[in-house]
Amino acid sequence: MSAPAEIVLSADSAGQLFNCAVFDPHSGAEFLSYRGGNTSSRSLTVLNGEYILGAQLCKNFINVWEIQRKDQLQQKIVCPGIVTCLCASPNGLYVLAGIAEAIYLWEVSTGYLLAILSRHYQDLSCIRFTDDSSHFVSGGKDNLALIWNLSSVVQLDSSRTPEPRHILSRHSLPITDIHCGLMGPQARVATASLDQTVKVWEISSGEMLLSVLFDVGIMSVTFDPCEYFLFCGGSDGNIFQVSLCSTSLSRDKTFQSDSDGNQVFKGHGNLVTCLSVSMDGTLLLSGSNDETVRMWDIQSKQCIWSINHKGPVTNAAIIPAPANMFLSDSRPAIPLPRFSRHLNPSEQGDSTGTGGMCLRLGANTQEPEGTYLEKADELYSLMCAVTDKSVFGDGENTKVRVSELEEEVRTLKKINKDLYEFSTQLLTKPN
């Protein structure tokens, strides 16, 4: 059987059968399961297609599995506090965690803690990256959703406190879920809240585009990939489908079922905790506190299959199948370093053990055409190619000159190496 293009990844709060498991989105058959502990809500993520990360429920650590090795003893990333939400950037370079009211940002390659953002006033409930990893959006129990520009957070000037790009403050009760659409900084983001509304915003301007009022609190939200529909999971177990293409759509509306695409999926017996749509926009996945995960056909509104868990479902998503998930002999290209718990690990005795430098490049930084060392090597190779043809026929003076040139090249390489290391230290040295 060929590897599927998409998979279902889900977890529950009980953790009796597994911490998290992988299923076939079309049949519901179980592919893989990962054991050890249980994962809290909004805290299960795939890192760079090589690792699964899940924040332990009510504990201050993150469980880590190599995605190909379901039977391995999991690693643990110890955190400064209980993780309430977790997200890895799509490009695999960063990990975000909500701990109390603060956002922690780690660099994956080094394990360095790059920033602690404390702009929320109460605990965080959810955090999401945009599809291009340029922005992320955080939501909390303080009723606020904040849009952050990653390049302004990962900055060289440590004397400046990063500020959110936009503060979304139209909700009157805690934020329960966030979903970012496609198109990076031009994307739209949906926020769900206990205030019985779902609001759609524009990331670039922070402007509210739509607010939909329901009869119940909304616990989860997602778009389909084309953003024709908005799917909202209610606290009563219903899933509401809101058409975003209706000609009568106004900025503020109250949800009502009609023939224009506003429909209701019925089947769950308790609040709907998570929603996800397949890449082709035909399937809707839902997880609920009724301990089931259901797959729906969007067009017919019929449930295709249902999987019973042993506890309330905390995470469920349809994601592209990682390339190495079904290759048993495959291993991650780079092992995960130890994640630091302090902003300056060298001062706190919290070394990551990587022994390398941390270079923070801007979002638009391009790789140079060649380093000084590479150019010196190229010059040395060219000189050798020329002298190999002429040195033996040009007398003693030529041999002396070649020796002088070789010494000059070696000196040049040493000077350029020292200059490169000095400039790198200046870039990474904190103020």
Side-chain angles (χ1 to χ4, degrees):
M1 184 185 71
S2 60
E6 292 180 290
I7 57 170
V8 170
L9 182 63
S10 70
D12 61 56
S13 61
Q16 294 182 14
L17 299 177
F18 44 71
N19 185 304
C20 58
V22 176
F23 302 94
D24 185 338
H26 298 287
S27 66
E30 182 179 319
F31 285 141
L32 301 167
S33 62
Y34 302 84
R35 303 180 186 279
N38 47 6
T39 299
S40 60
S41 180
R42 315 271 183 252
S43 298
L44 186 66
T45 186
V46 175
L47 175 60
N48 203 28
E50 296 184 328
Y51 296 95
I52 293 178
L53 277 61
Q56 178 65 29
L57 183 66
C58 299
K59 300 290 184 180
N60 67 328
F61 61 86
I62 299 170
N63 294 308
V64 181
W65 297 266
E66 289 183 18
I67 206 162
Q68 305 88 351
R69 301 176 62 188
K70 61 179 182 178
D71 56 344
Q72 73 169 356
L73 179 64
Q74 77 259 23
Q75 306 173 46
K76 288 183 173 65
I77 298 174
V78 180
C79 299
I82 296 174
V83 178
T84 57
C85 51
L86 181 70
C87 184
S89 64
N91 61 15
L93 298 180
Y94 302 98
V95 169
L96 286 169
I99 300 176
E101 72 281 356
I103 303 170
Y104 285 68
L105 172 65
W106 284 278
E107 184 180 49
V108 173
S109 61
T110 61
Y112 288 169
L113 179 60
L114 300 183
I116 302 176
L117 308 173
S118 301
R119 282 304 308 271
H120 283 277
Y121 304 104
Q122 294 186 45
D123 290 357
L124 274 88
S125 54
C126 44
I127 194 162
R128 293 284 187 270
F129 269 103
T130 56
D131 62 326
D132 67 344
S133 305
S134 66
H135 290 72
F136 60 90
V137 186
S138 60
K141 295 181 179 180
D142 55 3
N143 315 341
L144 296 177
L146 307 180
I147 298 176
W148 301 85
N149 187 327
L150 182 62
S151 62
S152 68
V153 174
V154 184
Q155 56 182 328
L156 292 175
D157 187 1
S158 59
S159 63
R160 289 188 348 189
T161 301
E163 293 291 331
R165 182 174 179 180
H166 300 295
I167 299 176
L168 314 180
S169 57
R170 296 287 192 92
H171 285 290
S172 57
L173 286 175
I175 307 291
T176 55
D177 195 15
I178 290 172
H179 179 77
C180 294
L182 303 178
M183 298 296 290
Q186 303 300 321
R188 293 183 288 185
V189 59
T191 56
S193 172
L194 292 177
D195 64 8
Q196 302 184 358
T197 68
V198 168
K199 302 184 189 297
V200 178
W201 315 78
E202 189 177 57
I203 286 183
S204 59
S205 65
E207 179 184 359
M208 189 184 76
L209 305 177
L210 174 68
S211 178
V212 185
L213 177 64
F214 299 87
D215 293 332
V216 295
I218 302 300
M219 310 307 297
S220 52
V221 65
T222 191
F223 291 122
D224 69 304
C226 294
E227 298 186 10
Y228 292 150
F229 298 106
L230 181 69
F231 298 94
C232 311
S235 58
D236 60 352
N238 288 331
I239 303 170
F240 307 98
Q241 174 183 293
V242 180
S243 173
L244 299 177
C245 301
S246 174
T247 56
S248 60
L249 193 64
S250 59
R251 184 173 178 179
D252 295 278
K253 64 171 294 182
T254 301
F255 178 84
Q256 291 181 339
S257 297
D258 56 33
S259 58
D260 291 335
N262 298 301
Q263 302 291 330
V264 180
F265 296 75
K266 294 180 179 291
H268 284 296
N270 207 327
L271 59 88
V272 180
T273 55
C274 21
L275 291 171
S276 183
V277 180
S278 62
M279 286 189 290
D280 61 4
T282 62
L283 300 176
L284 173 67
L285 179 75
S286 61
S288 170
N289 272 9
D290 66 5
E291 303 184 1
T292 66
V293 171
R294 293 175 180 264
M295 186 68 78
W296 308 81
D297 177 74
I298 291 179
Q299 185 173 7
S300 66
K301 310 293 182 295
Q302 297 299 310
C303 180
I304 300 174
W305 53 257
S306 176
I307 297 174
N308 292 321
H309 285 247
K310 292 296 185 179
V313 177
T314 55
N315 298 269
I318 303 174
I319 62 173
N324 299 327
M325 172 168 276
F326 301 100
L327 301 177
S328 58
D329 58 345
S330 179
R331 292 293 179 268
I334 300 176
L336 278 184
R338 178 184 175 188
F339 278 40
S340 172
R341 286 180 288 171
H342 305 283
L343 281 174
N344 193 337
S346 60
E347 290 184 1
Q348 300 292 338
D350 192 17
S351 174
T352 59
T354 60
M357 291 185 178
C358 172
L359 289 177
R360 306 180 193 175
L361 301 179
N364 298 320
T365 301
Q366 298 179 349
E367 293 185 359
E369 296 180 357
T371 65
Y372 288 115
L373 294 178
E374 290 170 344
K375 291 179 179 178
D377 285 334
E378 183 180 355
L379 176 62
Y380 183 78
S381 300
L382 180 61
M383 183 198 71
C384 289
V386 173
T387 54
D388 284 345
K389 296 179 180 179
S390 59
V391 67
F392 296 105
D394 292 342
E396 190 67 28
N397 290 335
T398 302
K399 292 182 180 180
V400 173
R401 181 55 182 158
V402 168
S403 298
E404 292 175 352
L405 286 173
E406 290 177 342
E407 183 62 31
E408 289 177 3
V409 170
R410 283 193 291 268
T411 302
L412 175 63
K413 290 175 68 175
K414 184 178 185 305
I415 292 174
N416 284 325
K417 182 179 179 181
D418 292 342
L419 178 61
Y420 177 78
E421 292 178 350
F422 178 69
S423 61
T424 302
Q425 291 171 1
L426 285 179
L427 286 174
T428 57
K429 183 179 180 181
N431 291 337

